Amino acid sequence: MRGFGAIIRRFSSPRDSPRRLHPFAAAIFCGLLIGLGAASALEPTPSVDPAVKKSEAPGIKNYSLLEGSRGYGGARFGFGGATEPSAMAFLKKQGFASVINLRAATEEGADVEAGRAAALQAKLAYFHIPFDPAHPDPDVVEKFLAVLGAPANQPVFIHCKSGNRVGSLWMIKRVLKDGWTIDKAREEAVAIGLATPQAEKFALDTIAPVPTVRK
């Protein structure tokens, strides 16, 4: 910057007022400003959603976090597999406001009521939306998206037994609500836990249902 000042002083006209520059000096000054503006414009801006990050959590299998997300349902989410009632206090400390449990009450080790009681004790909203990709409730996607989209429920932690069913519904959300491509949504869903062809098929059929052929 000292060199730049010397240039300005050299090409300033003595007859000019202190605030006026020689035309040549003014041209240099404007050129530098344009160059700085161009450099700022070339700085990369985030164009992709943050990646799902795996982490360890007491009482939660396959725990992962997504922070700084853009789209429907807020900016922060938690995902997991089997989640013990004891994990509800941990989730509260992590700043979550609600829990969505996709496990059926009849699943071995699910213990839905104990999970609900622990969540309420931890002052977490608790939503039980059982989801079986083989025999799904026709309203499961609508129920899931309704809970996810309510500001009072955010941030949301979503779990099933392994993360497979979570990934399936999350893939649907990404495409239908956030406008993602199927391939991009599938990649993120797999990172969450999507693993079975059946769960993926449910997501694909929901995203782009095959039209019924009339005979």
Side-chain angles (χ1 to χ4, degrees), residues 2-86:
R2 292 179 62 184
F4 177 66
I7 293 172
I8 295 298
R9 288 192 297 274
R10 180 175 179 179
F11 290 99
S12 294
S13 173
R15 294 187 297 272
D16 291 339
S17 66
R19 294 186 180 180
R20 294 186 60 190
L21 298 176
H22 189 281
F24 182 68
I28 294 175
F29 183 69
C30 291
L32 286 172
L33 288 179
I34 292 171
L36 289 172
S40 297
L42 292 174
E43 290 182 2
T45 54
S47 59
V48 296
D49 226 67
V52 173
K53 295 181 180 179
K54 297 296 180 183
S55 181
E56 294 296 323
I60 304 175
K61 292 183 179 179
N62 194 24
Y63 179 62
S64 59
L65 284 170
L66 180 60
E67 299 180 286
S69 179
R70 294 177 295 278
Y72 181 84
R76 185 169 187 264
F77 303 90
F79 312 103
T83 299
E84 300 293 333
S86 60

Side-chain angles (χ1 to χ4, degrees), residues 149-162:
N153 298 331
Q154 301 165 9
V156 185
F157 171 76
I158 314 157
H159 80 94
C160 55
K161 183 178 181 180
S162 65

Side-chain angles (χ1 to χ4, degrees), residues 142-168:
E142 183 179 351
K143 292 176 181 177
F144 174 75
L145 293 177
V147 172
L148 200 66
N153 298 331
Q154 301 165 9
V156 185
F157 171 76
I158 314 157
H159 80 94
C160 55
K161 183 178 181 180
S162 65
N164 178 51
R165 285 170 282 181
V166 178
S168 178

Side-chain angles (χ1 to χ4, degrees), residues 13-14 18 36 41 47 71 108 124 155 169 176 179 181 183 187 189 192 194 210:
S13 173
L36 289 172
S47 59
E108 184 179 357
L124 291 167
L169 293 184
L176 297 187
T181 65
D183 287 344
E187 183 179 354
I192 290 169
L194 179 66
V210 177

Side-chain angles (χ1 to χ4, degrees), residues 59-62 79-85 87-88 99-116 126-133 135 137 140 143-144 157-167 169:
I60 304 175
K61 292 183 179 179
N62 194 24
F79 312 103
T83 299
E84 300 293 333
M88 298 302 167
V99 174
I100 298 177
N101 181 0
L102 302 178
R103 303 187 71 182
T106 54
E107 289 181 40
E108 184 179 357
D111 209 349
V112 173
E113 291 309 313
R116 186 194 306 277
Y126 188 87
F127 301 92
H128 182 215
I129 307 176
F131 171 40
D132 178 358
H135 306 286
D137 176 347
V140 66
K143 292 176 181 177
F144 174 75
F157 171 76
I158 314 157
H159 80 94
C160 55
K161 183 178 181 180
S162 65
N164 178 51
R165 285 170 282 181
V166 178
L169 293 184

